[in-house]
Amino acid sequence: MKKTLWVLLDDRRGSVGQAKGIIEALGDSINIVEKQLVYNKFASLPNWIRGRTLIGVDTKKSDNIDSLYPDMILSTSRRTLSVARHIRKKSKNTSKIVQLMYPSEGIGLKDIEFFVVPTHDSIAKQKHKKAFVITGAPTRIFEEKIQTTAKEWEPVFSSLPRPWISVIIGGAIKGKPWPLAEAQNLLNNIKNIHQKIGGSILITTSRRTGDEPQKLIMDGIKDIPQYTYVWGEKKENPIMGFYACADIIIATGDSVSMCCEACGTGHPVLLYKGIGWLPKKHTRFVNSLIEQGYAQDITSADALNFKPGKTLNPSIQIAEKILQTLK
C-alpha cells in the first residue's frame, strides 16, 4: 500500500513553485494530496506563539486537514510549519514532517524529520543533524520536460539565426531598485557575447527589473535579431521555451529559482554577478553554482568555452530523501 504525503501550500509563490517541483519528482511513487491553506490576520504572529496550533489559518477557506492523517507532511514555508506540527499532534505524532528551509528561530525542530538547507546558507544550519543540504532550490525543470518544450517552441524561434542566446533578467532585491549602472553593465556583457558568437537573443524581464533598466537594455539590443517578453506583456510567457531551446543562457544572479532553473537545463549558463549589487548571500549562491561546475561567471575569460559538468536538479534529491525517510 502506498504511503500518503500531504503538501501544505500557501500564498508564497516561490515556496509553492519549489513544492510543485518536488511533487513532480515524486511522481506516482506515493499518494500526494495538496492542501491549500488560507491565512487570517493572525498569520504574521511568530511561530513560537502559533506553536502546534491553527492560529493564523482561516479553517473555513482552507482545505480540510482534520481527518485521515498522512504518513508524511511537506511543510513548504515557515508559516506552514505550525500547521504541520498541529497535524502531527492530531495524528499522535505518527505523521512525519519534512520542512523546506530552516524553521523560524529553530522553533519546531524536534517535530521534524529533516529540513532542507542550501549550501549558500549559514554553516551552522548546514551542520545541524537534521539538515539535508542541497545546492540552490528545487525547481520544475526536468530533462523530459525540456525535450518536450523544445519541440513546442523551436518552430516559434525558427526564423531567428542561431545560436540562440537566452537572457533571463531579474532585478531589484529586497525592495531596492535595480541600479541603471548594473543594467548597463549587463547590456555590455550581452552585446560583447553577441559580437563574438552572433545569433539571436531570446530575452525576458521580470516584475523586479524596473521600467528604466528594462528600457535601457531593450534599446541597447534593438538592432540584434530577437524574441522578447517584457514583464506584463499580454502573450504567452515563453520562459520555458527560452530555457529549453537555448544554445547558451545568461541569467542575473538575484533569483535563486531562476538560476537553478537555468542550471537544470543542461545548457551552458553564464551568470551575471554585477558590480556590487548582489548581497553576500546571493554572491555565495552564485559562487556555489560556479564552483560546482553548473555555471560560469559571464566575465570569465573563457566564458564562451564553458560546458556544464553536470545538471542541477534539487527536486530529485529531495524526493529521494523523502522516499528513504518514509521506508
Side-chain angles (χ1 to χ4, degrees), residues 16 20 24 39 41 44 57 66 68 83-84 94-95 109 116 162 164 188 193 205 224 236 266 272 276-277 292 294:
V16 170
K20 295 286 188 179
E24 289 186 41
Y39 296 126
K41 63 182 180 181
S44 60
V57 177
D66 277 330
L68 299 174
V83 181
T94 60
S95 295
L109 275 172
V116 179
R162 297 191 85 140
W164 292 336
N188 294 343
I193 288 173
T205 58
I224 298 174
E236 184 178 0
Y272 175 73
W277 146 66
Q292 294 181 64
Y294 294 114

CSV table of all heavy atoms in Angstrom, one decimal, residues 16 20 24 39 41 44 57 66 68 83-84 94-95 109 116 162 164 188 193 205 224 236 266 272 276-277 292 294:
chain,number,residue,atom,x,y,z
A,16,VAL,N,5.6,27.6,-3.2
A,16,VAL,CA,4.7,26.7,-4.0
A,16,VAL,C,5.4,26.1,-5.2
A,16,VAL,O,5.3,24.9,-5.5
A,16,VAL,CB,3.4,27.5,-4.4
A,16,VAL,CG1,2.6,26.6,-5.3
A,16,VAL,CG2,2.6,27.8,-3.1
A,20,LYS,N,6.0,22.2,-6.0
A,20,LYS,CA,5.5,21.6,-7.2
A,20,LYS,C,6.6,20.8,-7.9
A,20,LYS,O,6.4,19.7,-8.5
A,20,LYS,CB,4.9,22.6,-8.2
A,20,LYS,CG,3.7,23.4,-7.7
A,20,LYS,CD,2.5,22.5,-7.7
A,20,LYS,CE,1.2,23.3,-7.4
A,20,LYS,NZ,0.0,22.5,-7.5
A,24,GLU,N,6.5,16.8,-8.7
A,24,GLU,CA,6.7,16.1,-10.0
A,24,GLU,C,7.8,15.1,-9.9
A,24,GLU,O,7.7,14.0,-10.6
A,24,GLU,CB,7.1,17.2,-11.0
A,24,GLU,CG,5.9,18.1,-11.4
A,24,GLU,CD,6.3,19.1,-12.5
A,24,GLU,OE1,7.0,18.7,-13.4
A,24,GLU,OE2,5.9,20.3,-12.4
A,39,TYR,N,-4.7,32.1,5.0
A,39,TYR,CA,-4.4,32.7,6.3
A,39,TYR,C,-5.4,33.8,6.7
A,39,TYR,O,-6.1,34.4,5.9
A,39,TYR,CB,-3.0,33.3,6.3
A,39,TYR,CG,-1.9,32.3,6.1
A,39,TYR,CD1,-1.0,32.5,5.0
A,39,TYR,CD2,-1.8,31.2,6.9
A,39,TYR,CE1,0.0,31.6,4.9
A,39,TYR,CE2,-0.8,30.3,6.7
A,39,TYR,CZ,0.2,30.5,5.7
A,39,TYR,OH,1.2,29.6,5.5
A,41,LYS,N,-5.7,37.3,9.8
A,41,LYS,CA,-4.9,38.4,10.3
A,41,LYS,C,-3.9,38.0,11.3
A,41,LYS,O,-2.9,38.7,11.6
A,41,LYS,CB,-5.8,39.5,10.9
A,41,LYS,CG,-6.6,39.0,12.1
A,41,LYS,CD,-7.5,40.2,12.5
A,41,LYS,CE,-8.3,39.8,13.8
A,41,LYS,NZ,-9.2,40.9,14.2
A,44,SER,N,0.7,36.5,10.8
A,44,SER,CA,2.0,37.1,11.0
A,44,SER,C,2.6,36.9,12.4
A,44,SER,O,3.8,37.3,12.6
A,44,SER,CB,1.9,38.6,10.7
A,44,SER,OG,1.0,39.2,11.6
A,57,VAL,N,-4.7,30.5,10.6
A,57,VAL,CA,-5.3,29.8,9.5
A,57,VAL,C,-6.8,30.1,9.4
A,57,VAL,O,-7.5,29.9,10.5
A,57,VAL,CB,-5.0,28.3,9.6
A,57,VAL,CG1,-5.7,27.6,8.4
A,57,VAL,CG2,-3.5,28.1,9.6
A,66,ASP,N,-8.3,17.8,9.1
A,66,ASP,CA,-8.6,17.2,10.4
A,66,ASP,C,-9.1,15.8,10.3
A,66,ASP,O,-9.9,15.4,11.1
A,66,ASP,CB,-9.6,18.1,11.1
A,66,ASP,CG,-9.0,19.3,11.8
A,66,ASP,OD1,-7.8,19.1,12.2
A,66,ASP,OD2,-9.6,20.3,11.9
A,68,LEU,N,-8.1,11.5,8.5
A,68,LEU,CA,-7.2,10.6,7.7
A,68,LEU,C,-5.8,11.2,7.6
A,68,LEU,O,-5.3,11.5,6.5
A,68,LEU,CB,-7.9,10.4,6.4
A,68,LEU,CG,-9.3,9.8,6.3
A,68,LEU,CD1,-9.8,9.8,4.9
A,68,LEU,CD2,-9.2,8.4,6.9
A,83,VAL,N,1.2,24.6,11.2
A,83,VAL,CA,0.1,23.7,10.7
A,83,VAL,C,0.5,22.2,10.6
A,83,VAL,O,-0.2,21.3,11.1
A,83,VAL,CB,-0.5,24.2,9.3
A,83,VAL,CG1,-1.6,23.3,8.9
A,83,VAL,CG2,-0.9,25.6,9.4
A,84,ALA,N,1.7,22.0,10.1
A,84,ALA,CA,2.3,20.7,10.0
A,84,ALA,C,2.4,20.1,11.4
A,84,ALA,O,2.1,18.9,11.7
A,84,ALA,CB,3.6,20.7,9.3
A,94,THR,N,2.4,10.4,14.6
A,94,THR,CA,2.7,9.4,13.6
A,94,THR,C,3.0,10.0,12.2
A,94,THR,O,3.7,9.4,11.4
A,94,THR,CB,1.6,8.4,13.4
A,94,THR,OG1,0.4,9.1,13.0
A,94,THR,CG2,1.3,7.6,14.7
A,95,SER,N,2.5,11.2,12.0
A,95,SER,CA,2.8,11.9,10.7
A,95,SER,C,4.2,12.5,10.8
A,95,SER,O,4.4,13.4,11.7
A,95,SER,CB,1.7,12.9,10.4
A,95,SER,OG,0.5,12.4,10.2
A,109,LEU,N,11.9,22.2,15.5
A,109,LEU,CA,12.9,21.3,15.0
A,109,LEU,C,12.7,19.9,15.6
A,109,LEU,O,13.0,18.9,14.9
A,109,LEU,CB,14.3,21.8,15.4
A,109,LEU,CG,14.9,22.8,14.4
A,109,LEU,CD1,16.2,23.3,14.9
A,109,LEU,CD2,15.2,22.1,13.0
A,116,VAL,N,15.4,21.2,4.7
A,116,VAL,CA,16.2,21.4,3.5
A,116,VAL,C,16.9,22.7,3.6
A,116,VAL,O,16.3,23.7,3.9
A,116,VAL,CB,15.3,21.3,2.2
A,116,VAL,CG1,16.2,21.6,1.0
A,116,VAL,CG2,14.6,20.0,2.1
A,162,ARG,N,20.8,31.3,-35.4
A,162,ARG,CA,21.5,30.6,-34.3
A,162,ARG,C,22.9,31.0,-34.2
A,162,ARG,O,23.5,31.4,-35.2
A,162,ARG,CB,21.3,29.1,-34.3
A,162,ARG,CG,19.9,28.7,-34.3
A,162,ARG,CD,19.7,27.2,-34.1
A,162,ARG,NE,19.8,26.9,-32.6
A,162,ARG,CZ,19.0,26.0,-32.0
A,162,ARG,NH1,18.1,25.3,-32.7
A,162,ARG,NH2,19.1,25.7,-30.8
A,164,TRP,N,21.1,30.6,-30.3
A,164,TRP,CA,20.0,31.4,-29.6
A,164,TRP,C,20.6,31.6,-28.2
A,164,TRP,O,20.9,30.7,-27.4
A,164,TRP,CB,18.7,30.5,-29.5
A,164,TRP,CG,18.1,30.4,-30.9
A,164,TRP,CD1,18.2,31.3,-31.9
A,164,TRP,CD2,17.2,29.4,-31.3
A,164,TRP,NE1,17.4,30.8,-33.0
A,164,TRP,CE2,16.8,29.7,-32.6
A,164,TRP,CE3,16.7,28.3,-30.6
A,164,TRP,CZ2,15.9,28.9,-33.3
A,164,TRP,CZ3,15.8,27.4,-31.4
A,164,TRP,CH2,15.4,27.7,-32.7
A,188,ASN,N,26.3,45.6,-21.7
A,188,ASN,CA,27.6,45.5,-22.3
A,188,ASN,C,28.1,44.0,-22.5
A,188,ASN,O,28.6,43.7,-23.5
A,188,ASN,CB,28.6,46.3,-21.5
A,188,ASN,CG,28.3,47.8,-21.4
A,188,ASN,OD1,27.6,48.3,-22.3
A,188,ASN,ND2,28.9,48.5,-20.5
A,193,ILE,N,29.1,39.3,-25.9
A,193,ILE,CA,28.9,37.9,-26.3
A,193,ILE,C,28.3,37.8,-27.7
A,193,ILE,O,28.8,37.0,-28.5
A,193,ILE,CB,28.0,37.2,-25.2
A,193,ILE,CG1,28.9,37.0,-23.9
A,193,ILE,CG2,27.5,35.9,-25.7
A,193,ILE,CD1,28.1,36.5,-22.8
A,205,THR,N,12.2,39.9,-19.1
A,205,THR,CA,12.5,40.6,-17.9
A,205,THR,C,11.5,40.2,-16.9
A,205,THR,O,10.6,39.3,-17.1
A,205,THR,CB,12.3,42.2,-18.2
A,205,THR,OG1,11.0,42.4,-18.7
A,205,THR,CG2,13.3,42.7,-19.2
A,224,ILE,N,19.7,43.8,-32.8
A,224,ILE,CA,20.1,42.4,-32.8
A,224,ILE,C,18.8,41.6,-33.0
A,224,ILE,O,17.7,41.9,-32.4
A,224,ILE,CB,20.7,42.0,-31.4
A,224,ILE,CG1,22.0,42.8,-31.2
A,224,ILE,CG2,21.0,40.5,-31.4
A,224,ILE,CD1,22.6,42.6,-29.8
A,236,GLU,N,1.7,34.7,-24.3
A,236,GLU,CA,2.2,33.5,-23.6
A,236,GLU,C,3.6,33.7,-23.1
A,236,GLU,O,4.5,34.1,-23.9
A,236,GLU,CB,2.1,32.2,-24.4
A,236,GLU,CG,2.5,31.0,-23.6
A,236,GLU,CD,2.3,29.7,-24.5
A,236,GLU,OE1,1.9,29.8,-25.6
A,236,GLU,OE2,2.6,28.6,-23.9
A,266,GLY,N,20.8,21.8,-18.6
A,266,GLY,CA,21.9,21.1,-19.2
A,266,GLY,C,22.6,21.9,-20.2
A,266,GLY,O,23.7,21.5,-20.8
A,272,TYR,N,25.4,36.5,-14.2
A,272,TYR,CA,25.9,37.9,-14.0
A,272,TYR,C,25.8,38.2,-12.5
A,272,TYR,O,24.7,38.3,-11.9
A,272,TYR,CB,25.0,38.8,-14.8
A,272,TYR,CG,25.2,40.3,-14.6
A,272,TYR,CD1,26.4,40.9,-15.1
A,272,TYR,CD2,24.4,41.1,-13.8
A,272,TYR,CE1,26.7,42.2,-14.9
A,272,TYR,CE2,24.7,42.4,-13.6
A,272,TYR,CZ,25.8,43.0,-14.1
A,272,TYR,OH,26.1,44.3,-13.9
A,276,GLY,N,28.8,44.9,-7.4
A,276,GLY,CA,28.5,45.3,-6.0
A,276,GLY,C,27.0,45.3,-5.7
A,276,GLY,O,26.6,45.8,-4.7
A,277,TRP,N,26.2,44.8,-6.6
A,277,TRP,CA,24.7,44.8,-6.4
A,277,TRP,C,24.2,43.7,-5.6
A,277,TRP,O,23.3,43.8,-4.8
A,277,TRP,CB,24.1,44.9,-7.8
A,277,TRP,CG,22.8,44.2,-8.0
A,277,TRP,CD1,21.6,44.6,-7.5
A,277,TRP,CD2,22.5,43.1,-8.9
A,277,TRP,NE1,20.6,43.7,-8.0
A,277,TRP,CE2,21.1,42.9,-8.9
A,277,TRP,CE3,23.3,42.4,-9.8
A,277,TRP,CZ2,20.5,41.8,-9.6
A,277,TRP,CZ3,22.7,41.4,-10.5
A,277,TRP,CH2,21.4,41.1,-10.4
A,292,GLN,N,30.8,24.5,-8.4
A,292,GLN,CA,30.4,23.1,-8.6
A,292,GLN,C,30.3,22.7,-10.1
A,292,GLN,O,29.8,21.6,-10.4
A,292,GLN,CB,29.1,22.8,-7.8
A,292,GLN,CG,29.3,22.9,-6.3
A,292,GLN,CD,28.1,22.6,-5.5
A,292,GLN,OE1,27.5,21.5,-5.6
A,292,GLN,NE2,27.6,23.6,-4.8
A,294,TYR,N,28.2,24.0,-12.4
A,294,TYR,CA,26.9,24.1,-13.0
A,294,TYR,C,26.8,25.3,-14.0
A,294,TYR,O,26.0,25.4,-14.9
A,294,TYR,CB,25.8,24.3,-12.0
A,294,TYR,CG,25.6,23.1,-11.1
A,294,TYR,CD1,25.9,23.1,-9.7
A,294,TYR,CD2,25.1,21.9,-11.6
A,294,TYR,CE1,25.7,22.0,-8.9
A,294,TYR,CE2,24.9,20.8,-10.8
A,294,TYR,CZ,25.2,20.8,-9.5
A,294,TYR,OH,25.0,19.7,-8.7
